[in-house]
Amino acid sequence: DAGITQSPRHKVTETGTPVTLRCHQTENHRYMYWYRQDPGHGLRLIHYSYGVKDTDKGEVSDGYSVSRSKTEDFLLTLESATSSQTSVYFCAISDLAGSQTQYFGPGTRLLVL
Amino acid sequence: AQKVTQAQTEISVVEKEDVTLDCVYETRDTTYYLFWYKQPPSGELVFLIRRNSFDEQNEISGRYSWNFQKSTSSFNFTITASQVVDSAVYFCALSEASTGGFKTIFGAGTRLFVKA
C-alpha cells in the first residue's frame, strides 16, 4: 500500500470556523489531490497539486484553499466551514503524469454543525 | 468536457452469479486513461485496473474482467462467480490532460450487493 496518511480521521466543527485537513505521503510522488465523497456524486475533485507550490482548482473548489510547501504534505483548508461541506474527504497521490493511477488515503469524516 | 456515467446505482445478485457493471464515458481527448476502483464497506478506495486510450485489449484477472470499447465509449467490468466479499461500491473514472498533469472525473458509483 502507498504510504498516505490523513489527519484528522474524524472531525466535528461548527459553522463558520476554519478547518485544515492534512495529507501526508512517504512515496515522494509529485501529484496530490483532494476529493470529497458525497452520496450520489461519487468523488469530486476539489484541488490538486502538480508540484511544490503548484496547485490548481478542481470542479468543486469554492470555499476551499490548499497549500503545498513540501512534497510530502498537502493541506486542505475550509476557510469558513458550512454545513454543505459535511463530507468524507479523500487525499490521493500519483507519480508520473503518464501513469496517473491514484492511490488514496483512508479518508477524513468531517461534520459541520 | 469529461463525463463518466454509471447508470446502475445498485445491483443485487446471489453468490456465484456473474454481474457486469457498466461505465460510459465522454471525452474529446484522444489520450486518456480509464480506471476502476473498489470501495468496500470499510471505506478505503482500492485501485483495480487502469487502461489507456490506445490499448483496447480486454483484460482478465482472476474472476474480474474488463471490456474496453472505444466505439461505444464504454469500459465495463464483469465479476464472474460473484462472492460475498465482492460487495462494495465500484467507481469508474476517466483521466485526461489538464494544467500540470491530468484531471480525473469519477462516476457516481455502483453499489453491488452479493447475497449468500
Side-chain angles (χ1 to χ4, degrees), chain A residues 37 48 97-102, chain B residues 33 37 39 50 99 102 104:
Chain A
Q37 182 178 18
Y48 67 102
S99 169
Q100 284 304 302
T101 297
Q102 294 183 27
Chain B
Y33 295 84
Y37 286 85
Q39 187 175 42
R50 179 187 73 243
T99 305
F102 280 69
T104 302

Side-chain angles (χ1 to χ4, degrees), chain A residues 14-83:
Chain A
E14 293 186 350
T15 298
T17 60
V19 176
T20 295
L21 308 182
R22 180 183 184 232
C23 177
H24 178 78
Q25 59 144 328
T26 58
E27 305 296 321
N28 202 36
H29 283 358
R30 179 179 173 187
Y31 299 89
M32 298 185 76
Y33 310 82
W34 277 108
Y35 292 89
R36 59 179 289 173
Q37 182 178 18
D38 304 289
H41 291 279
L43 287 94
R44 292 180 291 175
L45 181 66
I46 305 171
H47 282 279
Y48 67 102
S49 170
Y50 48 96
V52 174
K53 299 191 190 304
D54 291 323
T55 64
D56 202 357
K57 295 179 180 180
E59 60 179 314
V60 290
S61 59
D62 287 348
Y64 300 95
S65 63
V66 290
S67 65
R68 190 163 178 209
S69 58
K70 299 184 289 185
T71 298
E72 58 266 34
D73 289 325
F74 192 33
L75 304 181
L76 176 71
T77 297
L78 288 64
E79 292 138 10
S80 177
T82 67
S83 58

